[in-house]
Amino acid sequence: MHLADFVSGSFAGACGVVVGYPLDTVKVRIQTHKQFTGIWQCVATTFSKEGVHGFFKGMTLPITTISMTSSVVFGTYRNCLQCLSQARGAGCGPNTKPEVFLSGFAGGVAQASVMAPGDIVKVRLQCQTESKRGGASMPKPKYRGPVHCLLRIIKEEGFLGLYKGVVPIMLRDGPSYSIYFLTYTTICEWLTKSGKKRPDWSGVMLAGGIAGIAAWFVATPMDVIKARLQMDGVRGTKRYKGLFHCFTETVRVEGSGVFFRSLGINCLRAFPANMIILTVYEILTSLLRAEPHSVGPFN
């Protein structure tokens, strides 16, 4: 088993959270609040009402959970590649593109069970627009922080409430991580000079950023469904009976375009976040394997 990929993936995921979290907050609010009509309007409103802190609501728990989920994604991906390679037999050459695609799918699905509890806490805190700075007449936030949010969900919705949205997470991350690793591998191969095993670090960074954008093109529609199911019933009556009903009701009320309303912010966030994630991952993996000339995802 390649343990280095689990460790590297964990640190890389944490770095990605810090870089991309403010834009992730804007994305979630656009997906779930009709009061926000666009990126800049959401940014301006959040800053004026909640200050800089408003963009980082609920980040503490995601840094921990996303470190774990990123570890699962990269570790599962790498070890699936190894298993598929062994199944073909020794001397069959590097992993094929279908193997990269299938391994990415396995990594995306595997992370869902670890990711779901932290993700629902993140989404609910990000969508909590009430500010602690408000006066006595202003509504107070429902959740005081990540731990309070986690415990309140368990109290009000049961332990399974933490896994609200786990199915759309799987449907989002399986295909998107397939595209993610396939895009990254392909671009790195294109940018690798003849006689070398990997591109230079600028090529790795570029490939990581483009891979993140490609993944979010696939993931955004299901990401909207996920966020809405996770917020359903928090502010009153439940609207959706399940995933399919959420999809059909959203299309009926707002049109199919709503599934891509947050695509721009997803892509804007994805490039720098995944540029950092994959660069950190590659550096740490090379150091932990003591193989300075290897590049994990496609070596």
Side-chain angles (χ1 to χ4, degrees), residues 5 8-9 88 101 106 109-110 116 121 124 146 160 217 231 266 273 290 294:
D5 295 83
S8 302
R88 286 189 290 122
F101 187 89
V109 171
V121 170
R124 293 206 175 172
L160 290 179
F217 264 96
M231 287 300 297
N266 277 338
S294 70

Side-chain angles (χ1 to χ4, degrees), residues 68-295:
M68 290 189 292
T69 59
S70 186
S71 172
V72 170
V73 169
F74 282 96
T76 301
Y77 168 77
R78 176 60 178 164
N79 284 283
C80 279
L81 279 182
Q82 182 185 26
C83 290
L84 292 172
S85 181
Q86 290 174 347
R88 286 189 290 122
C92 292
N95 289 102
T96 64
K97 294 298 189 294
E99 289 173 347
V100 171
F101 187 89
L102 289 173
S103 298
F105 189 92
V109 171
Q111 74 157 350
S113 60
V114 182
M115 180 182 190
D119 190 65
I120 193 170
V121 170
K122 174 185 77 72
V123 168
R124 293 206 175 172
L125 288 174
Q126 286 175 323
C127 291
Q128 185 170 263
T129 57
E130 298 84 2
S131 175
K132 295 178 181 179
R133 301 184 304 177
S137 61
M138 300 294 290
K140 298 299 180 183
K142 180 176 180 178
Y143 306 115
R144 295 194 295 269
V147 175
H148 180 252
C149 180
L150 185 77
L151 295 175
R152 187 153 182 180
I153 291 173
I154 295 174
K155 180 180 178 181
E156 295 178 352
E157 305 171 47
F159 184 76
L160 290 179
L162 295 175
Y163 287 87
K164 206 173 186 179
V166 69
V167 173
I169 288 175
M170 289 182 179
L171 294 175
R172 180 194 69 176
D173 290 349
S176 66
Y177 273 104
S178 295
I179 297 299
Y180 182 68
F181 284 111
L182 183 60
T183 302
Y184 178 62
T185 300
T186 302
I187 294 177
C188 280
E189 289 179 348
W190 288 348
L191 296 176
T192 300
K193 296 178 181 178
S194 179
K196 293 191 175 183
K197 292 185 176 181
R198 71 175 189 190
D200 57 28
W201 288 112
S202 62
V204 171
M205 294 171 73
L206 177 63
I210 295 174
I213 290 174
W216 276 107
F217 264 96
V218 176
T220 295
M222 192 55 65
D223 190 56
V224 174
I225 296 294
K226 174 197 74 74
R228 294 193 172 201
L229 287 174
Q230 289 174 327
M231 287 300 297
D232 191 31
V234 175
R235 294 187 178 87
T237 308
K238 284 177 62 68
R239 294 178 57 192
Y240 308 119
K241 300 175 184 177
L243 189 150
F244 184 73
H245 181 250
C246 179
F247 175 80
T248 55
E249 187 69 8
T250 299
V251 172
R252 184 185 68 82
V253 176
E254 300 175 63
S256 58
V258 70
F259 293 115
F260 295 95
R261 195 170 72 177
S262 57
L263 179 60
I265 190 71
N266 277 338
C267 292
L268 187 64
R269 176 179 64 93
F271 191 91
N274 288 283
M275 180 179 69
I276 295 298
I277 288 171
L278 283 164
T279 302
V280 171
Y281 168 75
E282 295 289 11
I283 292 172
L284 290 177
T285 302
S286 297
L287 291 173
L288 292 172
R289 289 181 186 164
E291 298 174 358
H293 298 297
S294 70
V295 178

Side-chain angles (χ1 to χ4, degrees), residues 7-80:
V7 177
S8 302
S10 176
F11 280 97
C15 292
V17 172
V18 175
V19 172
Y21 201 85
L23 289 176
D24 186 64
T25 297
V26 174
K27 175 211 65 170
V28 171
R29 291 189 172 190
I30 289 174
Q31 288 177 339
T32 57
H33 288 64
K34 292 181 180 179
Q35 72 189 78
F36 299 120
T37 57
I39 296 173
W40 300 118
Q41 185 261 348
C42 181
V43 169
T45 303
T46 300
F47 182 76
S48 65
K49 291 185 176 180
E50 304 165 64
V52 175
H53 169 72
F55 296 100
F56 292 92
K57 281 184 174 179
M59 190 178 75
T60 307
L61 190 61
I63 281 186
T64 304
T65 57
I66 291 177
S67 294
M68 290 189 292
T69 59
S70 186
S71 172
V72 170
V73 169
F74 282 96
T76 301
Y77 168 77
R78 176 60 178 164
N79 284 283
C80 279

